[in-house]
Amino acid sequence: MTRRKKDPLRTLTDEERTWLERIRRSQSEPASHVARAKQILSVANGYSYQDAALLAGRKSGDAVSNLVKRFNQEGLNAIQPRHGGGAPAKYGSAERERILQEARRKPDPQTDGTVTWSLKTLCQALRKAPDG
């Protein structure tokens, strides 16, 4: 006899089911997205967490349980992986975009002191910038 599910999967909307089917069949989506979509659809079709994991090529029914719980709270955003550990991200998207914008700019020998960027000269240019 199996244990009672603490957080059973809520009923999928037609739009969610359509998106999950598209992701499940996609050849261009990351493999982690495809596996998560397969797991959620399998649970929605009545499979146990363990069977859903096996059908998606994974081993852990507990991971499917956590995914279902997250899907119930976040919807389709649960397909996206979160930060996988390690040091927390230092810069947000706005800061990253600003750094990339500066790196794409051709350096001026008069103001930047170089004709090609190195990490050191790029950092100096960012610190000198008015928004740095």
Side-chain angles (χ1 to χ4, degrees):
M1 184 167 194
T2 61
R3 291 185 292 176
R4 190 177 133 267
K5 295 177 183 174
K6 289 181 182 177
D7 294 311
L9 181 66
R10 63 175 170 75
T11 306
L12 298 178
T13 64
D14 292 337
E15 182 182 3
E16 287 174 334
R17 187 173 287 275
T18 302
W19 275 106
L20 289 170
E21 285 291 343
R22 283 184 187 168
I23 294 169
R24 183 184 67 82
R25 287 185 263 119
S26 176
Q27 297 291 316
S28 59
E29 286 282 334
S32 62
H33 294 191
V34 173
R36 289 181 178 128
K38 284 180 181 179
Q39 292 168 354
I40 291 170
L41 285 169
S42 296
V43 171
N45 292 333
Y47 287 95
S48 69
Y49 293 157
Q50 187 64 41
D51 292 340
L54 294 173
L55 287 171
R58 309 299 172 149
K59 294 180 181 178
S60 174
D62 290 339
V64 176
S65 172
N66 292 333
L67 176 64
V68 166
K69 181 179 178 181
R70 191 170 155 212
F71 183 82
N72 287 339
Q73 295 169 353
E74 300 177 19
L76 290 173
N77 288 335
I79 299 296
Q80 297 287 335
R82 291 188 282 187
H83 183 64
K90 230 178 191 181
Y91 302 109
S93 59
E95 291 88 0
R96 261 184 273 144
E97 188 55 41
R98 174 64 182 102
I99 293 167
L100 290 173
Q101 178 185 0
E102 190 71 20
R104 290 180 191 124
R105 179 179 67 83
K106 185 170 172 62
D108 179 36
Q110 299 298 325
T111 57
D112 298 318
T114 185
V115 292
T116 58
W117 289 122
S118 69
L119 184 57
K120 184 177 180 179
T121 56
L122 181 61
C123 288
Q124 288 172 349
L126 285 165
R127 287 188 184 112
K128 284 185 207 175
D131 61 346

